[in-house]
Amino acid sequence: MITAVIRCARFARYGVNKGLRKADSQIPDVTVSQHTFLDGSPEALIALVLMSHTAHIPSHRKPRRSASKTALRAGVAGGVLSTIAVAGAAGPAQAEPVTQTIEMPTITSGLSTAVAASAQATQQVAQDLQTQAQEDAAAATAAKTAKKAKAEAVRKAEAKKKAEAAAKAKAEAAERASRTTARTTLSATSGSSAGTAVSTASSSSSSSATGSAAAVIAFAQAQVGDAYVSGGTGPNSWDCSGLVQAAFRSVNIDLPRVSQAQSTAGTQVSLSNLQPGDILYWGGAGSAYHVGIYVGNGQFVGAQNSSTGVVQRPLSYDPPSGAVRVL
């Protein structure tokens, strides 16, 4: 409902304008009520006159009204009400008036401070999340790099180990080949003289060994049948110098570990003057490639090679180059 005030309007007091009279001029203000129907179109309905019903009568007495005027006024009022009813019925029934009021918040200093603090906290959380993501990415990259480096180190270590094993095997093969070549050469160059010396040694050493020599011989003969392994020092596998060293250690005599040093560890003796317990060597003194122990009766014990292992053979089987006496 919209109410408007119209000033200085001219309206008949009873709805019919019969000319301006003194009573009419006394109407100061006229209030017109306006209603917005459901179809949204405003229509003026009734002019409401705010005045006393006796304002035009100086004596404050209501004038008499004739029956004809009363009937006419009733007819006019009925027509107006009918017009209002018809206009209301003609409006659409679907539209609804707006009844909700939106109240906007008032911006105060406290509210602005809270909003600024919330924005700052949100920005800080975003920065923290970004920093955490960067740290996680860096940690993942470092772990991947470390894993790759470790795998590379393991691969290099395995390759180095294989190379060392291959080099060792090659050196052992070369050592065996050099021993075989040296033995063949010595056999060809000193066959007759070595045979004579061996015969003499056999005849002169027919008596049984005693004391420390007997203990050394007993130890060496006890290992006959064991395997030959390059670098072996017992108790079930030996190389030539490892067997000689262990046999003399049994009587508390320490010898060098390798054949080259053992070939010069004692007093040099001729092959024609051998005694049980003497150390036989093959090759030159100080550069011998093989050693064994003379056990008497023209026999020696030695760790020959991987095919024969530790054996006892006659001197004629593989004539030595020389001998040293330690006992």
Side-chain angles (χ1 to χ4, degrees):
M1 178 72 70
I2 300 175
T3 302
V5 178
I6 302 176
R7 299 184 182 276
C8 301
R10 294 179 60 196
F11 284 87
R13 289 191 308 146
Y14 300 113
V16 178
N17 191 357
K18 295 182 178 181
L20 180 62
R21 293 183 300 175
K22 182 178 181 181
D24 296 332
S25 63
Q26 295 178 357
I27 301 175
D29 298 325
V30 177
T31 300
V32 179
S33 295
Q34 190 178 45
H35 178 77
T36 301
F37 289 92
L38 297 179
D39 62 349
S41 60
E43 294 291 338
L45 299 181
I46 304 173
L48 301 180
V49 180
L50 300 179
M51 60 180 289
S52 173
H53 63 282
T54 59
H56 65 288
I57 303 176
S59 61
H60 299 287
R61 292 187 303 172
K62 292 181 65 176
R64 294 181 179 271
R65 298 171 183 173
S66 63
S68 59
K69 291 181 179 181
T70 303
L72 178 60
R73 185 168 53 186
V76 172
V80 172
L81 293 177
S82 299
T83 302
I84 294 172
V86 171
Q94 292 81 6
E96 295 182 0
V98 177
T99 60
Q100 184 177 1
T101 301
I102 300 177
E103 184 178 353
M104 298 300 292
T106 302
I107 303 299
T108 62
S109 60
L111 180 59
S112 62
T113 303
V115 170
S118 177
Q120 184 177 3
T122 302
Q123 184 177 6
Q124 183 63 40
V125 170
Q127 291 178 354
D128 293 343
L129 291 176
Q130 183 178 5
T131 302
Q132 184 63 38
Q134 292 175 352
E135 291 177 354
D136 293 343
T141 302
K144 185 177 181 180
T145 303
K147 184 177 180 180
K148 185 176 180 181
K150 182 179 179 181
E152 182 66 15
V154 171
R155 185 190 66 79
K156 289 182 178 180
E158 292 178 352
K160 182 179 179 180
K161 186 176 180 180
K162 290 180 179 179
E164 291 176 352
K168 184 177 180 181
K170 185 176 180 180
E172 291 176 355
E175 183 180 359
R176 287 194 296 269
S178 64
R179 288 180 181 179
T180 302
T181 302
R183 289 173 183 175
T184 303
T185 303
L186 288 173
S187 297
T189 57
S190 59
S192 57
S193 59
T196 304
V198 168
S199 299
T200 305
S202 299
S203 60
S204 62
S205 303
S206 57
S207 59
S208 299
T210 58
S212 297
V216 169
I217 293 171
F219 182 92
Q221 290 177 332
Q223 314 311 315
V224 172
D226 285 352
Y228 173 90
V229 175
S230 178
T233 57
N236 298 315
S237 59
W238 313 85
D239 64 6
C240 61
S241 57
L243 176 62
V244 172
Q245 184 185 46
F248 279 87
R249 184 179 295 146
S250 67
V251 295
N252 298 322
I253 296 177
D254 291 330
L255 293 179
R257 172 65 183 85
V258 296
S259 58
Q260 292 86 349
Q262 289 177 1
S263 65
T264 59
T267 303
Q268 296 287 330
V269 296
S270 65
L271 296 177
S272 60
N273 191 27
L274 293 176
Q275 294 181 2
D278 288 346
I279 298 175
L280 304 176
Y281 62 84
W282 285 255
S287 60
Y289 59 85
H290 184 60
V291 290
I293 300 173
Y294 181 66
V295 297
N297 298 322
Q299 302 279 321
F300 74 94
V301 173
Q304 294 302 98
N305 52 58
S306 57
S307 298
T308 62
V310 179
V311 295
Q312 180 172 328
R313 293 285 191 270
L315 295 176
S316 59
Y317 170 78
D318 188 5
S321 304
V324 292
R325 187 168 296 157
V326 178
L327 299 174

